[in-house]
Amino acid sequence: MAGRIRQADVEEVKARTNIADIIGERVALKNAGVGAMKGLCPFHDERSPSFNVRAQAGFYHCFGCGESGDVYSFLTKMDHVSFTEAVERLAGRIAYTLHYEDGGAAPEHTGRTRLFAANAAAAEFFRAQLQTGEADTARRFLGERGFDAGAAAHFGVGYAPKGWSGMHDALKAKGFTDEELTTSGLVSQGQRGVYDRFRGRLVWPIRDVTGQVLGFGARRLYDDDKGPKYLNTPETTIYKKAQVLYGLDLAKRDISREHQVVVVEGYTDVMACHLAGITTAIATCGTAFGSDHITVLRRVMGDDSTAGEVVFTFDPDAAGQKAALRAFADAKRFNAQTYVATGPEGLDPCDLRLRRGDGAVRGLIEHKVPMVEFVLDQRIAGFDLASVEGRVGALRASAPVVAELRDALLQPEYVRVLARRLGMDTEDVRREVERAARAGGRRESGPAAVPAEEVVGEPLVRVTLASLPRTAAVTIERDAIMGILQFGHRMDAALIARALEAPFRHPALDAVRQAVRQAGDMQRPGWALDAIGTVREPYRSLAGELLAADFPALDDTAALSSASDLARRLVIRSLESQKSELLGAIQRVSASSDEGRTIRLRLRELDAQRDELTADI
């Protein structure tokens, strides 16, 4: 078995990898100041972005939960891979050949990496099988729904042959074991051994946001197949149906750019939408749309404003209405506005495209209605609005929907909308909405949460940028060390050395100063990340914030100039402090003494140094 990856290779792969590219595949990042990008944190749920990435430093930091690190720590935490697997994955992306301490080849992994590899191999097998004679029924199924060979190739659609072990035998020949194939959900265990889970079915690969195959969805084709109409991969260590969204790998860039996502119900609906130009369409995989799906989408959308749109397409039948009500319950977790689009005659996007063309699919999305209105209509529909009792019943059923709206401008508008639809007085509707809001508040109330810093035995020790004192001395120390961490590789090394000589007045910032002073060669890639890793606790998190924070400057040139000016100000402050001490000392010695002459000479040197530095500011 191969040994550890050589450290030089570990550093080289990291230096050649743009951390923003890796994180950007999972999180929508926007420019946020000089050299910084920002998005919603993938490690905790948040509504406003506090997750900063500095590509030049190869570093990320969340100002909300405190998570930070380099590209390797991101992959190990986000994708649950080992450090070695993270290095090997990144090396593969840039076609870099790794070397191991004993000179061996890359080790084989039996964990998540092997599951991804097995699924990728299965996807290739299924795609190849779609071209065989046996797959004629599968190709006809696609053709009857308006999908040609190009569409099938674009979405990776394949065919699982009828036999019991066709895929199993093919993957065994590639070196996969029965245990790996069982763990990946590709085969099932029977009394006579393992057999293919998917047989005689049309197969869609389900990928994560980076394009790795996690599992499959398979559609029944033959009458003698007594299994469910759709059969998905079972839950595995990499396939969690509550967290995966079909088509997200293809839609993510347009979702991020347009701040729109269209949620449809099936694989063919996703295909139809994309082919019709609605390239932000995705679908759940055999489960209802839920909170975990929202978390995934919000990171991709980067919905830190209310400008985004989430459009749900539901069938107008009872099941569709039930799904809409479930989605509405979670919709407030989106910052984006939520809508519902229902097809004419109850047609889903696939059937709509087949019967009326691509324009009809685009029109379906264009004629969306706000989800609040859709849900209100569902609540009101069961009542006879011609009777007093019916109107009152409809009001009581629908008032909680309006009461749940948190937008101070939307709620009074929907009070008036509801009043018009019911034919009732606006004030009566408003009072019922307020009563529903109070009742809802009582149901949701519970013991007040105790702030973490007030828990007995858990004193608040974490220092953050926000907790630093707002004094002139602390401000210059904070901004100067921030500038050095972010731009030290481009600053004058002698200036930095002089700036960091004297202790800082704030103990947390001084702890960071000491670590940076010992960092060594600042031209070395990753030096800042290594430096903050040596900051003593409890100040290491503050160091991460200083490296990740937005440096106050308009552009890169201004940032470098400002960082250098701040370093000079630190040197000047040190010179002035030395001068103050010498002026006190000279009062205690004879002016004609050797010591007095030495002090006066030193004072002239300090003045000359200060004049030289101030001339550059």
Side-chain angles (χ1 to χ4, degrees):
M1 181 176 179
R4 294 176 55 188
I5 302 171
R6 293 179 184 175
Q7 187 61 32
D9 286 355
V10 172
E11 297 299 330
E12 184 66 20
V13 170
K14 182 162 68 171
R16 294 192 190 186
T17 300
N18 187 334
I19 190 174
D21 290 343
I22 303 302
I23 295 178
E25 292 178 345
R26 298 158 175 82
V27 179
L29 297 175
K30 297 179 181 179
N31 290 329
V34 181
M37 305 188 79
K38 182 179 290 186
L40 294 173
C41 180
F43 300 113
H44 82 288
D45 194 20
E46 60 179 1
R47 297 188 69 82
S48 298
S50 60
F51 184 77
N52 280 34
V53 179
R54 284 204 167 271
Q56 183 109 31
F59 179 71
Y60 66 88
H61 181 86
C62 177
F63 288 83
C65 68
E67 284 284 355
S68 63
D70 62 7
V71 67
Y72 295 138
S73 63
F74 180 82
L75 286 178
T76 57
K77 293 173 184 176
M78 191 69 191
D79 292 355
H80 307 287
V81 298
S82 68
F83 177 80
T84 298
E85 288 172 311
V87 178
E88 290 171 349
R89 183 183 296 183
L90 294 179
R93 286 174 64 105
I94 62 175
Y96 182 88
T97 302
L98 295 173
H99 303 86
Y100 295 79
E101 289 184 347
D102 65 356
E108 292 291 330
H109 296 289
T110 58
R112 294 169 58 91
T113 299
R114 291 294 287 172
L115 298 189
F116 282 120
N119 278 290
E124 288 294 333
F125 172 80
F126 293 139
R127 277 195 292 268
Q129 292 299 307
L130 188 61
Q131 309 306 316
T132 63
E134 183 188 324
D136 180 65
T137 301
R139 293 191 297 273
R140 187 165 59 250
F141 177 95
L142 290 171
E144 289 171 352
R145 284 155 181 78
F147 305 125
D148 58 16
H154 180 69
F155 291 93
V157 183
Y159 174 72
K162 287 184 175 182
W164 284 85
S165 62
M167 186 222 61
H168 167 267
D169 296 344
L171 266 62
K172 284 276 285 187
K174 290 182 175 291
F176 293 98
T177 66
D178 284 351
E179 180 183 359
E180 289 169 343
L181 297 179
T182 302
T183 303
S184 65
L186 291 168
V187 300
S188 300
Q189 182 70 45
Q191 292 182 348
R192 298 183 179 180
V194 297
Y195 58 91
D196 291 352
R197 177 177 177 85
F198 306 113
R199 305 180 307 281
R201 286 177 175 255
L202 196 64
V203 180
W204 286 266
I206 300 170
R207 305 183 182 98
D208 67 10
V209 71
T210 69
Q212 295 188 104
V213 181
L214 304 169
F216 299 90
R219 209 274 189 193
R220 185 179 60 206
L221 293 173
Y222 303 105
D223 293 337
D224 59 354
D225 185 342
K226 303 306 179 184
K229 183 177 180 180
Y230 282 95
L231 179 65
N232 281 29
T233 294
E235 292 278 309
T236 70
T237 56
I238 63 173
Y239 182 85
K240 308 291 184 184
K241 65 182 180 180
Q243 300 172 5
V244 297
L245 291 161
Y246 175 71
L248 185 58
D249 57 309
L250 299 174
K252 64 180 180 181
R253 295 195 185 279
D254 286 343
I255 289 174
S256 178
R257 181 171 58 246
E258 299 175 20
H259 299 287
Q260 181 203 62
V261 63
V262 175
V263 183
V264 298
E265 293 194 341
Y267 307 119
T268 56
D269 292 330
V270 171
M271 294 175 70
C273 283
H274 278 250
L275 294 174
I278 309 298
T279 54
T280 58
I282 52 89
T284 59
C285 301
T287 186
F289 188 85
S291 59
D292 286 343
H293 295 126
I294 292 175
T295 299
V296 172
L297 283 178
R298 288 187 62 238
R299 290 171 187 154
V300 176
M301 289 181 72
D303 61 337
D304 53 317
S305 71
T306 57
E309 294 182 353
V310 181
V311 184
F312 293 89
T313 62
F314 294 116
D315 291 336
D317 58 15
Q321 293 172 15
K322 186 177 180 181
L325 294 176
R326 280 198 305 265
F328 178 72
D330 282 329
K332 52 180 161 295
R333 294 191 59 204
F334 282 110
N335 278 358
Q337 299 300 312
T338 53
Y339 298 86
V340 173
T342 55
E345 303 175 22
L347 294 175
D348 59 31
C350 181
D351 290 336
L352 184 61
R353 176 175 178 266
L354 191 61
R355 296 189 190 182
R356 304 191 184 184
D358 292 346
V361 178
R362 294 191 293 270
L364 167 68
I365 306 304
E366 291 170 0
H367 292 91
K368 62 189 181 293
V369 298
M371 179 173 277
V372 181
E373 292 187 22
F374 181 84
V375 174
L376 285 176
D377 288 342
Q378 304 307 311
R379 292 289 178 91
I380 293 170
F383 296 90
D384 178 13
L385 300 185
S387 68
V388 172
E389 291 79 7
R391 290 193 295 273
V392 171
L395 175 59
R396 287 173 176 164
S398 54
V401 175
V402 181
E404 289 182 16
L405 299 175
R406 295 293 177 257
D407 192 311
L409 295 177
L410 282 179
Q411 190 180 77
E413 287 298 318
Y414 274 107
V415 166
R416 286 187 279 272
V417 168
L418 183 57
R420 287 195 298 270
R421 295 196 179 184
L422 297 177
M424 299 181 70
D425 183 77
T426 302
E427 277 303 302
D428 291 339
V429 173
R430 182 184 61 78
R431 283 193 293 270
E432 182 60 22
V433 168
E434 290 177 349
R435 188 198 65 77
R438 290 193 297 272
R442 286 194 297 272
R443 285 194 299 271
E444 294 175 6
S445 63
V450 180
E453 59 266 31
E454 296 180 9
V455 177
V456 176
E458 297 283 347
L460 180 63
V461 295
R462 182 183 170 200
V463 180
T464 66
L465 285 175
S467 69
L468 291 174
R470 303 298 182 183
T471 64
V474 170
T475 298
I476 189 175
E477 291 175 356
R478 178 199 66 197
D479 292 350
I481 200 69
M482 185 188 301
I484 293 171
L485 276 168
Q486 295 181 18
F487 304 101
H489 61 289
R490 297 173 57 193
M491 295 169 61
D492 181 70
L495 175 62
I496 293 176
R498 292 182 67 188
L500 299 179
E501 282 180 357
F504 283 2
R505 298 172 189 177
H506 193 282
L509 292 170
D510 191 60
V512 181
R513 176 196 68 85
Q514 294 177 47
V516 173
R517 189 184 183 200
Q518 300 298 321
D521 180 14
M522 292 184 181
Q523 301 301 313
R524 176 176 52 85
W527 77 268
L529 196 55
D530 292 341
I532 66 173
T534 65
V535 176
R536 69 177 188 277
E537 295 293 5
Y539 306 129
R540 191 170 299 161
S541 180
L542 173 64
E545 291 190 4
L546 289 164
L547 178 56
D550 300 340
F551 188 77
L554 294 177
D555 54 38
D556 193 58
T557 301
L560 179 59
S561 176
S562 178
S564 298
D565 286 346
L566 287 163
R568 278 190 286 270
R569 291 181 188 278
L570 281 181
V571 178
I572 291 171
R573 188 179 74 169
S574 176
L575 293 175
E576 290 176 341
S577 176
Q578 295 177 54
K579 181 177 179 179
S580 178
E581 292 178 4
L582 290 174
L583 288 174
I586 202 171
Q587 303 299 320
R588 298 188 294 271
V589 300
S590 170
S592 59
S593 66
D594 291 342
E595 186 177 359
R597 287 190 292 272
T598 300
I599 292 176
R600 287 197 300 275
L601 181 60
R602 180 57 179 157
L603 284 170
R604 286 195 292 271
E605 291 174 351
L606 292 176
D607 285 338
Q609 291 179 32
R610 188 186 188 284
D611 291 344
E612 181 182 355
L613 288 166
T614 53
D616 295 330
I617 295 179

